[in-house]
Amino acid sequence: MPSPKSSKRAKVSEARPPEQLDLLWPGDDVGLLAGVDEAGRGPLAGPVVAAAVILDELNPIVGLNDSKKLTARKRDLLFDEIRAKALCFSIAEATVEEIDELNILHATMLAMRRAVEGLRLRPARVQVDGNRTPQLSIPVQAVVGGDAKVQAISAASILAKVHRDRLCEVMHDAYPVYGFDVHKGYPTAQHLAALREHGATPAHRRSFGPVKAVLESQN
């Protein structure tokens, strides 16, 4: 008989995604839709990542949802399926240096714009998760909670999340004492303790409060 803990884990992994739909402007029911989302605004280290996806309505993907509501294994499987089935996709980054120079919001918008501009096909319209949009030459709409409402945004959410998690594995290999493979750069107790003990790495965002405090304490 499974333990309560394992039963709870099974329920999470088997949760069905909500009913999703493409949100259209009135009368704008033609043309390619690109969904856009980001990963990595909150961490203290590493780039912010954005993805743009144009799905193929003739080649549907089952199980798309907000990446945060999926298990790591499910995200990995969908990552490969999205790349195989989408009409096109693009993953882009804004570097740590750009984050420190521009601030995280503007760096995120920069990564999103790069992702859209990197698409092989030009979309007729773009929908972005959240309440802010990058400056584009294409009509763009912000959709709050879009990563759970619009399939193309869900797909972008998954690509951005998996790509950034894999970058964190690379950071872990370079700086194993920080635990990037576990906390993915977020300010956990483990990460903050490692920062205080070992200082900041080149991968850390120097404009973020906890990193800035450590750097100032070392001067």
Side-chain angles (χ1 to χ4, degrees):
M1 180 175 179
S3 67
K5 186 175 181 180
S6 64
S7 297
K8 183 178 180 181
R9 187 161 53 242
K11 288 179 182 178
V12 170
S13 63
E14 294 169 5
R16 296 178 60 187
E19 182 180 352
Q20 296 179 320
L21 66 157
D22 286 340
L23 305 177
L24 306 179
W25 290 273
D28 189 10
D29 57 353
V30 294
L32 297 175
L33 167 69
V36 177
D37 201 3
E38 55 76 25
R41 287 183 64 171
L44 304 179
V48 62
V49 175
V53 181
I54 300 177
L55 293 174
D56 183 355
E57 62 182 17
L58 300 180
N59 205 3
I61 300 171
V62 176
L64 292 174
N65 199 352
D66 173 2
S67 64
K68 298 183 292 296
K69 298 178 181 178
L70 301 170
T71 64
R73 173 170 171 73
K74 184 63 174 176
R75 285 195 298 266
D76 284 340
L77 292 172
L78 284 169
F79 181 88
D80 293 336
E81 188 173 1
I82 293 163
R83 288 163 54 94
K85 291 184 175 181
L87 287 178
C88 62
F89 67 90
S90 172
I91 302 173
E93 303 173 8
T95 66
V96 169
E97 291 76 17
E98 288 170 328
I99 292 169
D100 288 337
E101 179 182 353
L102 300 173
N103 77 41
I104 186 59
L105 174 61
H106 288 94
T108 300
M109 295 299 110
L110 175 62
M112 287 182 170
R113 189 176 79 237
R114 286 171 174 167
V116 173
E117 292 174 348
L119 289 168
R120 178 177 58 83
L121 302 174
R122 180 179 173 86
R125 49 202 168 89
V126 174
Q127 291 180 332
V128 179
D129 180 55
N131 58 8
R132 301 291 292 267
T133 62
Q135 290 187 338
L136 300 171
S137 60
I138 303 165
V140 57
Q141 178 187 33
V143 182
V144 175
D147 48 7
K149 296 176 182 176
V150 181
Q151 288 194 337
I153 299 179
S154 297
S157 169
I158 292 164
L159 292 192
K161 169 67 174 168
V162 173
H163 181 85
R164 192 177 191 285
D165 282 355
R166 292 177 180 179
L167 290 178
C168 289
E169 296 288 344
V170 175
M171 288 196 294
H172 174 70
D173 290 341
Y175 312 107
V177 297
Y178 293 86
F180 288 119
D181 59 329
V182 176
H183 54 65
K184 310 304 183 190
Y186 284 92
T188 63
Q190 174 194 6
H191 190 184
L192 295 175
L195 259 178
R196 289 190 294 268
E197 182 176 357
H198 302 288
T201 72
H204 279 96
R205 302 171 180 177
R206 280 155 168 70
S207 58
F208 277 45
V211 181
K212 185 186 296 185
V214 166
L215 292 172
E216 290 174 350
S217 70
Q218 295 173 339
N219 293 334

